[in-house]
Amino acid sequence: MPYHWDDRTKFHSDYNYLQGFYERLLQDLTIQLNEIHGVDHSLRYWRILIGPWLSYFIQVLFDRWTCIQQACSQYDLSGSIVLVGQEEVMVPNDGLDFTRLSVADEWNHHIYAILLQQFSKVPVSKRVREGGREQARVTPSVSWQRQVKRKFVAIYARAVSVLTRDHDAFLMATYLPFRDEMRMHRRLGQMPQLWRSVSPAQVAVDQGKRKWIVAGGSTSRFEACARALIPQQIPSVYLEGYAKLIGQVESMPWPKCPKLIWTSSSHRDDVFKAWAAQRVEEGSPLVIGQHGGGYGVGRWFSLEDHETEISDCYLSWGWTDPARPHIKPVGQLKAKRPLGVRHEEQPMALLVTCTLPRYSYHLYSSMVSHQWLGYFRDQCTFVEHLPPSIQSALTVRLKDQAHGWEQVLRWRARFPDLRLDDGRSNINDLIRQSRLYISTYNAATYLESFSMNVPTVMYWNPNHWELRDSAIPYFEDLKGVGIFHETPESAARHVAAIWDDVNAWWDSPAVGGVLKRFKARYCRMPDDLLGEVETVLREVMADGKRQHARLTPAEACQPNTQ
C-alpha cells in the first residue's frame, strides 16, 4: 500500500494541522485534568507536563489512523486478526515509557487493532494475547560506570543540600561539560550543585478511571477518535498516579523558589517536568538549551516547537528567529574540540549513517517509516560510486539502535568485504583515524565535525530532509564549495576528486569562508561561552525578579493559576 507521507506536501500540511489540533486538545485537557485532580493549574503547567506526550501521541495516532482508513477505502479487505486481553500493559506508565512503546510492534498492533475494531467495518478474528509487561516494554540497561556515577552524584547532592538556598538557580542536564557547569554555579554566586532526577513511580492502570472522553468539538472522525483514545492511553502518572508524582516532586531536595531553572534535556523527564511546571507557575523563569542538531535548520520540528513554547528563554547554538526573540544565540553548549591529529595523513574515510524507527514517531522534516529503505539505497549508491581504493579505506558506522531494519545483513548482502562499525565504538577514536568524515543526515553529526575541524562531506535527499527558508542560503553556500551534496553520486565524485589532497580543498579560502559563516549561524564557538551564557541568564533572572517584585510576600512562591 502506498505510504501517505511519501507526499511531502501532505506531510507538512498534516504537521501544521496536528499542531493546531494539539493546541485545542491541550486547552480541553487542562480543564478536565484540573477537575479530575482537584487542582487549578494553568495551561502552561499542563503544557510543560503532558505536552510532549500529547503532541507525540496524536502525531502517531494520525499516522496509524490514516493507514487504516486508506486500506479500508482502497482495498476489499476480507478480515484481520487482532490480539486482545491484558490491555493495561499497553498503557504507558510515563512519557519516556510511551516513547519506548510507540516504536514497538506489540503496542502498534494494539493501536491498529483498536482502530480496526472501533473505527472500521473490517471483520476481525480475536486471539488472546500471551505474555506480560516484558513483551511490550524493554527497560534500557544501565552500565556499571553509570551506576557508580549516579551514586556519586546522589552522595554529593545530599552533602551539598545543606548549603543550597531555596532561591538558588537550578541547573540540571544543561549540556555544558561538567567543569563548565560547576563554574557556572560559582559565576551565579552559589555553591556548585549536582542534581539528578528519579524515575516516576510505577502506577497500576485503573480502567474505571478511564471511562471518559476529552470534551470539545471534533471537526473530523479522526478528532473524535483521538478524543476517545486519549483517556485510554494517557500515561498512568498523569491520571491514576498523579498524586504519587506530586509526592515524589515534594520529596525532592531541590530549591523551593529558584530564581531560574535551566536544563537542556530534563524537560522530557516527568518528575522534573512536574516540579518545573509548579515552580514556573510560582514565578521561576524556565530556560531551555539546545541539545542536538536539526534545530533552526529543518523546515518543521515538533521538539523545537515545544521547547521554545514552554521556555522563557531558549539558548540556541547560533541561530535566531525574528518571530521568537527569546531565542538567544549563545553558541554550542557542548562543542567538541579538534583532536590534535593531522587528518590528511590518516588512512580512513568514515561514513556515518543512521536508522529511524519503522513506525513514524515525533514529526520533523526527515525521512519517516519505510523511507529509510530509500536512505539505505542512497548509502549503497554512494559506496558503489567510490573508486575501489577508497572503498577499501571506508568504514561505515552504523547506528547502534537497529530498530529492526537488519542493517548489518543488508550491508553484508551488498558489500561482503566492507568494514562495518556497529555504533558502539568511541566515535572520537574513529575520527582520529579518518582523513574524511562523511555525514548522511541532518542532525548534530556534521555540526560536531565542523567544530572539530574534520574535513567533512555531507549528502542527503533534500525531499526527505527539507530545510526552512532561513537555512537554505547557508546550505547553498556549502553546496557551492563541495561540502553539501543532494545526491550520493555527486558526493562520491567529490570524495574521489579530493581524496589524494584533502587539505588543499578543506583549507582553501573559499571553503574556510563558507564554514566560518555557517558555523557562526549553527555551531558558534565563542571565545567566552560561559560569559555569554551568564549574561543571558542574568538578564532572565533580572526579568524574573522584576515580575516577582510585583507579588506580595504572601503571593511569592504560591501557585499562579492565571
Side-chain angles (χ1 to χ4, degrees):
M1 186 175 71
Y3 186 48
H4 66 109
W5 277 337
D6 283 345
D7 181 342
R8 302 295 290 195
T9 299
K10 178 182 183 299
F11 189 17
H12 188 209
S13 175
D14 287 346
Y15 175 78
N16 289 332
Y17 157 70
L18 289 169
Q19 287 295 94
F21 182 40
Y22 158 73
E23 291 294 336
R24 288 188 280 124
L25 282 173
L26 184 62
Q27 292 182 33
D28 296 334
L29 272 171
T30 292
I31 297 171
Q32 285 182 275
L33 289 175
N34 278 338
E35 292 176 350
I36 289 171
H37 297 306
V39 295
D40 189 21
H41 290 307
S42 64
L43 179 71
R44 188 180 181 191
Y45 174 98
W46 290 110
R47 184 188 299 276
I48 292 171
L49 181 56
I50 72 167
W53 167 78
L54 180 61
S55 63
Y56 195 159
F57 177 72
I58 64 171
Q59 290 169 7
V60 164
L61 183 65
F62 182 82
D63 174 67
R64 311 323 184 244
W65 165 273
T66 304
C67 289
I68 291 292
Q69 297 304 315
Q70 183 178 341
C72 291
S73 65
Q74 295 183 9
Y75 299 90
D76 182 14
L77 303 176
S78 61
S80 186
I81 299 171
V82 301
L83 303 178
V84 297
Q86 302 185 55
E87 280 75 13
E88 66 278 359
V89 307
M90 298 301 167
V91 178
N93 185 72
D94 51 75
L96 290 179
D97 192 28
F98 170 74
T99 300
R100 292 188 290 267
L101 280 173
S102 66
V103 296
D105 293 331
E106 294 87 351
W107 184 86
N108 279 280
H109 175 90
H110 176 65
I111 294 300
Y112 279 124
I114 290 174
L115 296 176
L116 283 169
Q117 293 175 92
Q118 299 182 19
F119 299 95
S120 86
K121 297 181 180 179
V122 177
V124 298
S125 175
K126 297 181 181 180
R127 296 183 184 176
V128 176
R129 178 181 287 109
E130 298 178 357
R133 292 178 65 89
E134 294 78 12
Q135 183 181 15
R137 291 175 169 84
V138 178
T139 302
S141 60
V142 180
S143 66
W144 69 267
Q145 298 97 326
R146 185 172 291 273
Q147 292 180 34
V148 170
K149 182 179 178 181
R150 288 179 177 177
K151 289 183 179 179
F152 167 77
V153 169
I155 293 171
Y156 180 87
R158 284 196 298 270
V160 79
S161 63
V162 297
L163 301 174
T164 300
R165 299 163 300 187
D166 278 342
H167 286 77
D168 279 352
F170 183 86
L171 279 57
M172 186 166 73
T174 64
Y175 223 58
L176 286 175
F178 173 75
R179 291 182 179 178
D180 285 346
E181 186 171 306
M182 295 300 99
R183 292 187 183 106
M184 183 56 67
H185 280 284
R186 291 194 294 269
R187 281 173 172 260
L188 297 177
Q190 59 193 48
M191 174 67 69
Q193 300 158 19
L194 276 178
W195 300 120
R196 292 294 182 271
S197 189
V198 296
S199 298
Q202 292 291 317
V203 182
V205 173
D206 182 349
Q207 295 293 353
K209 294 183 177 180
R210 293 174 175 264
K211 299 184 182 302
W212 51 282
I213 64 172
V214 180
S218 297
T219 63
S220 66
R221 291 182 64 230
F222 164 71
E223 291 192 5
C225 167
R227 290 179 182 275
L229 293 194
I230 284 171
Q232 297 181 29
Q233 276 291 305
I234 189 170
S236 302
V237 296
Y238 306 149
L239 192 61
E240 297 94 339
Y242 180 74
K244 282 189 177 180
L245 179 63
I246 299 307
Q248 284 185 279
V249 167
E250 293 174 348
S251 69
M252 299 302 289
W254 298 342
K256 304 301 181 185
C257 306
K259 56 189 175 185
L260 174 139
I261 302 168
W262 174 24
T263 188
S264 294
S265 60
S266 292
H267 52 276
R268 293 172 288 183
D269 162 62
D270 281 314
V271 173
F272 170 83
K273 286 190 296 180
W275 174 83
Q278 182 66 52
R279 302 289 85 79
V280 165
E281 278 200 328
E282 295 165 359
S284 297
L286 178 61
V287 178
I288 304 291
Q290 182 178 337
H291 59 279
Y295 291 83
V297 176
R299 189 176 179 192
W300 63 95
F301 195 176
S302 60
L303 296 183
E304 178 189 317
D305 288 346
H306 172 71
E307 291 164 18
T308 55
E309 180 66 25
I310 66 171
S311 58
D312 296 284
C313 175
Y314 187 85
L315 306 179
S316 84
W317 289 2
W319 55 278
T320 58
D321 182 350
R324 295 176 287 182
H326 71 299
I327 297 175
K328 305 298 182 182
V330 296
Q332 207 166 351
L333 296 173
K334 198 174 185 178
K336 290 191 173 184
R337 303 291 174 175
L339 295 173
V341 300
R342 296 177 63 86
H343 290 284
E344 72 275 10
E345 298 175 355
Q346 305 309 312
M348 193 171 78
L350 181 62
L351 179 70
V352 179
T353 67
C354 76
T355 59
L356 293 178
R358 288 171 291 122
Y359 304 93
S360 76
Y361 63 129
H362 69 80
L363 300 186
Y364 62 110
S365 49
S366 73
M367 60 187 176
V368 58
S369 189
H370 85 107
Q371 293 164 3
W372 183 87
L373 295 171
Y375 168 86
F376 175 75
R377 288 192 293 270
D378 282 348
Q379 312 321 307
C380 294
T381 298
F382 172 79
V383 175
E384 289 170 342
H385 281 76
L386 292 175
S389 60
I390 302 180
Q391 282 191 25
S392 64
L394 185 69
T395 292
V396 178
R397 179 176 173 86
L398 308 178
K399 184 73 172 177
D400 57 354
Q401 293 173 293
H403 290 301
W405 288 113
E406 298 290 1
Q407 52 182 341
V408 173
L409 294 179
R410 292 178 188 274
W411 277 107
R412 288 289 174 235
R414 294 291 298 270
F415 306 98
D417 300 322
L418 193 64
R419 187 162 50 245
L420 301 178
D421 177 84
D422 63 6
R424 289 179 288 185
S425 301
N426 185 294
I427 186 67
N428 287 346
D429 291 341
L430 296 176
I431 293 174
R432 283 190 182 93
Q433 306 170 52
S434 299
R435 185 183 310 182
L436 196 62
Y437 184 96
I438 304 158
S439 178
T440 61
Y441 57 103
N442 186 14
T445 168
Y446 62 89
L447 300 178
E448 293 177 343
S449 67
F450 286 175
S451 298
M452 299 168 76
N453 196 30
V454 182
T456 302
V457 171
M458 308 151 49
Y459 67 89
W460 60 61
N461 182 347
N463 295 321
H464 285 169
W465 302 90
E466 297 92 335
L467 302 173
R468 67 187 63 178
D469 291 344
S470 60
I472 290 174
Y474 293 90
F475 282 83
E476 288 295 321
D477 287 346
L478 293 179
K479 191 191 306 182
V481 296
I483 295 176
F484 177 58
H485 302 260
E486 294 186 345
T487 67
E489 296 91 342
S490 172
R493 288 193 298 268
H494 182 69
V495 168
I498 66 173
W499 180 252
D500 291 331
D501 193 357
V502 168
N503 271 18
W505 165 69
W506 188 251
D507 292 339
S508 67
V511 171
V514 166
L515 279 174
K516 182 178 180 180
R517 289 190 293 274
F518 188 93
K519 288 161 67 176
R521 176 71 177 179
Y522 295 110
C523 49
R524 282 187 68 218
M525 296 179 66
D527 293 334
D528 183 14
L529 172 65
L530 289 185
E532 296 205 17
V533 172
E534 180 188 359
T535 297
V536 172
L537 295 185
R538 290 194 177 280
E539 291 174 355
V540 173
M541 289 188 293
D543 288 342
K545 189 174 181 180
R546 283 192 291 269
Q547 295 178 15
H548 205 64
R550 300 190 188 106
L551 301 176
T552 68
E555 292 171 327
C557 286
Q558 293 299 314
N560 173 16
T561 59
Q562 298 302 311

